[in-house]
């Protein structure tokens, strides 16, 4: 992402938070400029310089990706989903959805599978996410199994953390290990582990011991709400790896969560998307 002038960074963060938390509200350029406390012209230019996208593009992408998630993992009526994502009429929502995903909302609902998310178009030297190649050491994770939509794994993380705290097990960062492609696997059959890295301790008997093998990994850094992670994964496989002449090798794909979400503003939550790689 393009570096932001330090005095403007809090304003852009405030706008991004506002977008994610007010998808059913007025997210026009004038409204967002008011949130940033900038003129419309200054805001529009500053936002694009900071994020690589126009504000209108960001709003559209976040709204439609959120709608796709809701269609796939909930039974909420179509009209309610449309309104919650800022569309006053189901017809206009349906047209926008079809243009974005190449299928109507009813097809996503019937399949109960998330479509490939919308990702920003790469422009010049700007890329959506920083990606680096690192050699990871072997990591042992104490984890609980989760089956079902990945976006519903939160309670499993809560139970896992409570168990480790109760047993006073020394731990490192939280890790989410994901085994299936949500575009190819029915949502109720998706498999994952919610865990934490273990530091000089045994894994409690009632938990699963998962070993992430050492080796070369592509590491993508995502900053912001978790509902943006499907787009980050898509970017990793469709853009970042091909650009670098890499392919996924045998191993485990996982997310590493670097903040405590309980005391970190949602727009500053940092997640690493980690994929074992080899030369293509």
């Amino acid at each position: 992402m393009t570096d932001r002038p330090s005095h403007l960074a809090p304003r852009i963060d405030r706008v991004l938070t506002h977008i994610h938390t007010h998808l059913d509200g007025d997210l026009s350029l004038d409204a967002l400029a008011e949130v940033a406390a900038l003129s419309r012209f200054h805001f529009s230019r500053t936002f694009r310089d900071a994020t690589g996208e126009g504000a209108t593009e960001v709003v559209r992408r976040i709204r439609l990706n959120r709608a796709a998630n809701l269609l796939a993992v909930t039974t909420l009526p179509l009209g309610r989903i449309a309104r919650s994502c800022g569309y006053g009429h189901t017809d206009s929502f349906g047209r926008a959805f079809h243009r974005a995903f190449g299928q109507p909302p009813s097809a996503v609902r019937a399949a109960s599978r998330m479509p490939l998310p919308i990702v920003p178009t790469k422009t010049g030297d700007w890329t959506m996410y920083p990606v680096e190649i690192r050699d990871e050491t072997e990591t042992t994770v104490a984890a609980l199994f989760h089956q079902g939509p990945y976006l519903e794994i939160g309670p499993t993380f809560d139970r896992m953390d409570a168990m480790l705290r109760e047993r006073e097990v020394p731990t490192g960062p939280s890790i989410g290990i994901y085994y299936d492609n949500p575009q190819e696997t029915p949502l109720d059959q998706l498999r994952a582990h919610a865990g934490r890295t273990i530091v000089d301790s045994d894994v409690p008997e009632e938990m699963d011991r998962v070993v992430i093998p050492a080796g070369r990994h592509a590491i993508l850094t995502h900053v912001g709400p978790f509902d943006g992670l499907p787009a980050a994964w898509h970017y990793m496989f469709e853009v970042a790896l091909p650009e670098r002449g890499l392919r996924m090798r045998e191993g485990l794909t996982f997310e590493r969560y670097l903040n405590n979400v309980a005391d970190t503003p949602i727009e500053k939550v940092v997640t690493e998307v980690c994929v074992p790689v080899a030369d293509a």
Side-chain angles (χ1 to χ4, degrees), residues 126-143:
W126 177 84
T127 55
M128 176 60 181
Y129 310 94
V131 177
E132 60 180 306
I133 309 303
R134 297 204 303 253
D135 288 325
E136 293 279 304
T137 59
E138 182 177 280
T139 302
T140 299
V141 180

Side-chain angles (χ1 to χ4, degrees), residues 184-206:
E184 299 175 354
T185 305
L187 293 178
D188 61 355
Q189 297 177 27
L190 293 173
R191 300 165 301 145
H193 269 106
R196 278 189 177 272
T197 57
I198 293 297
V199 181
D200 298 326
S201 181
D202 293 329
V203 174
E205 290 184 3
E206 60 272 42

Side-chain angles (χ1 to χ4, degrees), residues 6-257:
S6 59
H7 69 288
L8 293 177
R11 302 186 189 214
I12 300 302
D13 287 339
R14 187 163 68 240
V15 169
L16 290 170
T17 300
H18 183 82
I19 292 171
H20 278 281
T21 55
H22 294 82
L23 289 182
D24 60 346
D26 180 5
L27 297 179
S28 64
L29 278 177
D30 287 334
L32 295 179
E34 184 175 344
V35 172
L38 296 169
S39 71
R40 174 178 170 146
F41 173 77
H42 193 191
F43 164 72
S44 181
R45 183 178 62 185
T46 300
F47 189 90
R48 183 176 289 278
D49 287 345
T51 66
E53 290 181 278
T56 301
E57 297 169 283
V58 170
V59 168
R60 171 182 169 276
R61 173 171 55 81
I62 294 174
R63 277 176 162 163
L64 289 172
N65 281 339
R66 175 75 59 81
N69 288 339
L70 291 174
L71 284 165
V73 305
T74 76
T75 58
L76 291 173
L78 179 61
R80 183 172 172 185
I81 291 176
R83 290 190 298 274
S84 72
C85 294
Y87 290 88
H89 303 283
T90 55
D91 287 346
S92 61
F93 167 64
R95 288 192 296 270
F97 193 94
H98 198 288
R99 284 195 301 269
F101 295 105
Q103 57 184 316
S106 58
V108 174
R109 170 58 53 81
S112 294
R113 297 186 190 182
M114 291 189 295
L116 292 174
I118 310 165
V119 296
T121 302
K122 186 177 177 182
T123 305
D125 293 331
W126 177 84
T127 55
M128 176 60 181
Y129 310 94
V131 177
E132 60 180 306
I133 309 303
R134 297 204 303 253
D135 288 325
E136 293 279 304
T137 59
E138 182 177 280
T139 302
T140 299
V141 180
L144 294 179
F145 183 72
H146 167 84
Q147 182 168 327
Y150 289 154
L151 292 176
E152 296 178 3
I153 199 173
T156 307
F157 272 104
D158 292 340
R159 288 192 293 112
M160 175 274 301
D161 277 331
M163 292 172 68
L164 292 175
R165 281 197 305 269
E166 181 182 348
R167 290 153 182 77
E168 299 182 345
V169 176
T171 63
S174 294
I175 299 286
I177 303 168
Y178 301 96
Y179 300 99
D180 302 300
N181 184 337
Q183 277 77 51
E184 299 175 354
T185 305
L187 293 178
D188 61 355
Q189 297 177 27
L190 293 173
R191 300 165 301 145
H193 269 106
R196 278 189 177 272
T197 57
I198 293 297
V199 181
D200 298 326
S201 181
D202 293 329
V203 174
E205 290 184 3
E206 60 272 42
M207 302 183 75
D208 294 335
R209 180 178 185 271
V210 182
V211 176
I212 299 175
R216 189 182 181 204
H217 285 71
I219 312 291
L220 176 154
T221 300
H222 172 274
V223 181
F226 295 130
D227 63 7
L229 284 167
W233 280 99
H234 181 58
Y235 181 89
M236 172 69 94
F237 285 106
E238 299 300 321
V239 179
L241 297 189
E243 280 188 343
R244 290 161 175 77
L246 299 171
R247 60 176 175 80
M248 180 179 167
R249 60 174 171 82
E250 185 176 352
L252 297 177
T253 59
F254 61 97
E255 294 172 358
R256 182 160 44 215
Y257 311 104

